[in-house]
Amino acid sequence: MVDAAVGSCTVTTGSDPEDGGSSSQSRIKSLDTTFTIVESLTDLDGARVTELADRTGLSKSTVHKHLATLVAHGYVVKEGEEYRLGFRFLDLGGYVRAQFTGADIIKSKIQELAEKTGEVAQYMTEENGEAVVLYREDGHHGVPSRTRTGKRMYLHQVASGKAILAQLPEERVDEILERHGLPRATDTTITDPDELKAELEEIRENGVAYSYGESTKGLYAVAAPMMAPDETVLGACVVSGPSHRMAGEPMDEEIPEILLSIVNEVELNIAHS
């Protein structure tokens, strides 16, 4: 293993480039610093240099230099003494989402799903062992939740994530569990690997996955996986709402029927597009 100085950056070489970025090897420290600042700006909803320095443990001069570079490239905007993320990120996010298989078809069907159920409808996919929200639409009864477009969540905590896990090879599931574990979000979150795998088997048999307040207390959800023509899983469609409206027939019959119909239609459109 060799450390090579590149300008003011340190690059550590000698690791596997396919390690998913989880190792500290083969990383440029100045970029780590930049992303730390970007993530802190997200968490703080904008901040001044001093606030970011306190938050990150970096010197104010270091924070200022990175912010100045981000501002020059349009990724951060300065308003008075405060900095916030710029819409340049939205451009990149829009581009990334547009590259997803069937993106244009999925968007309209998530809107339809929200209209038909009256609840919150979302489409999620898996990346690096996490669930990522690609689309979210609120029906006329939709309630606020902690999800938004681009939000990343643990797969085992959400119905859509379990729907995706159920369609992945067992060795891939094991890799995800080893990497992320089974952290608890609520009292009903599954934290036992054997219990999770037993539920994944039920999901494969029934075609739908459920969450009973496992991500957010009082929020129920039902999801169905969406498959590519080669039978690999693309993601999952999910409908969520408060337990008092979702429990019983809506969760057991009404919503799964609508959900599976829409998923089947999207799969056919993708297969023949």
Side-chain angles (χ1 to χ4, degrees):
M1 188 165 60
V2 180
D3 285 348
V6 182
S8 60
C9 310
T10 299
V11 181
T12 306
T13 61
S15 67
D16 184 352
E18 297 181 354
D19 66 359
S22 61
S23 170
S24 62
Q25 300 175 333
S26 288
R27 283 162 51 167
I28 301 172
K29 289 184 178 180
S30 64
L31 286 179
D32 278 339
T33 300
T34 297
F35 286 119
T36 296
I37 291 170
V38 166
E39 289 166 1
S40 295
L41 278 173
T42 304
D43 294 338
L44 295 170
D45 290 328
R48 298 187 176 199
V49 171
T50 301
E51 292 175 292
L52 286 168
D54 292 340
R55 175 84 172 201
T56 61
L58 299 166
S59 69
K60 288 192 286 187
S61 62
T62 297
V63 170
H64 185 269
K65 289 177 182 177
H66 284 265
L67 286 173
T69 303
L70 287 164
V71 168
H73 287 276
Y75 290 100
V76 167
V77 175
K78 184 180 181 184
E79 298 176 336
E81 296 300 315
E82 187 169 285
Y83 295 84
R84 65 169 176 81
L85 298 184
F87 287 121
R88 186 71 181 271
F89 283 107
L90 183 61
D91 181 35
L92 291 181
Y95 166 78
V96 172
R97 188 171 67 174
Q99 306 311 302
F100 190 82
T101 301
D104 54 339
I105 302 169
I106 293 169
K107 179 181 179 180
S108 63
K109 288 301 176 182
I110 292 299
Q111 291 172 334
E112 181 181 336
L113 188 58
E115 290 170 3
K116 286 186 174 181
T117 62
E119 305 291 355
V120 174
Q122 298 177 93
Y123 183 85
M124 298 190 187
T125 191
E126 178 265 328
E127 184 179 66
N128 293 329
E130 295 177 304
V132 183
V133 181
L134 293 190
Y135 292 101
R136 174 189 162 117
E137 295 289 340
D138 291 358
H140 59 279
H141 289 312
V143 297
S145 69
R146 64 191 181 108
T147 61
R148 64 176 184 273
T149 303
K151 178 73 174 179
R152 307 180 77 87
M153 309 177 75
Y154 291 108
L155 289 166
H156 72 286
Q157 293 180 357
V158 292
S160 54
K162 290 190 286 186
I164 292 169
L165 282 171
Q167 304 303 321
L168 293 176
E170 186 174 355
E171 58 271 22
R172 175 61 178 147
V173 174
D174 289 337
E175 288 173 3
I176 291 171
L177 298 189
E178 182 177 353
R179 179 174 182 180
H180 296 287
L182 294 171
R184 183 185 297 279
T186 71
D187 291 341
T188 57
T189 305
I190 296 176
T191 57
D192 179 76
D194 292 335
E195 182 182 349
L196 176 63
K197 289 184 177 181
E199 183 166 336
L200 296 183
E201 182 60 35
E202 291 181 8
I203 294 168
R204 282 189 285 272
E205 293 176 1
N206 300 328
V208 291
Y210 295 96
S211 172
Y212 299 96
E214 295 163 47
S215 172
T216 302
K217 187 176 181 180
L219 188 72
Y220 282 15
V222 56
M226 185 177 294
M227 308 302 290
D230 63 0
E231 292 303 310
T232 57
V233 62
L234 285 173
C237 290
V238 58
V239 175
S240 60
S243 57
H244 70 273
R245 281 206 304 266
M246 294 285 287
E249 184 178 346
M251 283 274 282
D252 298 337
E253 298 179 20
E254 180 184 341
I255 293 177
E257 182 178 341
I258 296 171
L259 194 58
L260 290 170
S261 174
I262 284 180
V263 167
N264 181 58
E265 187 175 347
V266 175
E267 289 176 339
L268 288 172
N269 284 333
I270 290 175
H272 295 95
S273 63

